[in-house]
Amino acid sequence: MKTASTAKRNLLTTSLLGLGLMFASQASANDCELAISANDAMQFDTKELSVPASCKEVTLTLTHAGALPKAAMGHNWVLTKAADMSAVANEGMAAGAEAAYVKADDTRVIAHTGLVGGGESTSVTFSTAGMSATEAYQFFCSFPGHWAIMQGSFKLKA
Ligand code: CO
């Protein structure tokens, strides 16, 4: 009787341990999903975003909580290494509205969403392959004149 209950307990312990290891090796999908909101006052609602470094893919959803149209107060979410931000933003602005202010095939762009206007939302899923927990990344909106204010840090947390 005693032996049987000990065995059962051991089995339970082993199962819980296995479950714990499963969570430790791969962050849960929720941890790899981010949401950010932007408004008519040219602001994101956060200056810092991060995900566990164990995320293989990250999904970011951008919501434009304002009411102004895309042509007047458009927002997108662009991710680059911090060092690349200003050049990518300036070249994106030069690429124009047809390109949604992101230069085509810009390899410095790690991820970007489309441009949204008030009341719209959009998301992007990107791979973290090639990204590092020791690198500084920056996200920003590349709509002309926005990136100086609409930017923040992005980290992979080791
Ligand atoms: Co913007």
Side-chain angles (χ1 to χ4, degrees):
M1 194 62 175
K2 194 183 177 193
T3 315
S5 91
T6 305
K8 201 182 276 178
R9 200 179 310 135
N10 283 345
L11 191 67
L12 184 69
T13 308
T14 310
S15 309
L16 287 176
L17 190 68
L19 209 61
L21 286 174
M22 208 168 77
F23 282 127
S25 60
Q26 164 98 46
S28 76
N30 274 355
D31 291 338
C32 306
E33 290 175 9
L34 297 170
I36 189 166
S37 177
N39 62 21
D40 284 344
M42 212 194 288
Q43 291 164 329
F44 281 129
D45 65 348
T46 182
K47 292 270 182 197
E48 286 176 20
L49 290 172
S50 66
V51 292
S54 56
C55 291
K56 300 220 174 354
E57 281 191 334
V58 176
T59 296
L60 175 126
T61 300
L62 164 67
T63 301
H64 191 320
L68 291 172
K70 192 164 30 178
M73 185 55 71
H75 299 309
N76 63 6
W77 186 89
V78 183
L79 181 66
T80 65
K81 287 181 180 176
D84 290 334
M85 176 177 61
S86 59
V88 170
N90 284 322
E91 290 170 38
M93 186 160 59
E98 322 78 71
Y101 306 110
V102 178
K103 191 172 107 179
D105 304 322
D106 190 333
T107 54
R108 296 164 300 181
V109 174
I110 296 164
H112 72 92
T113 68
L115 209 56
V116 289
E120 298 174 335
S121 70
T122 183
S123 40
V124 60
T125 297
F126 59 97
S127 165
T128 58
M131 295 180 75
S132 158
T134 57
E135 182 76 48
Y137 299 96
Q138 201 78 355
F139 67 85
F140 59 95
C141 172
S142 68
F143 190 91
H146 287 200
W147 71 272
I149 295 165
M150 297 188 74
Q151 60 167 279
S153 66
F154 181 94
K155 288 190 186 82
L156 290 184
K157 283 195 293 192

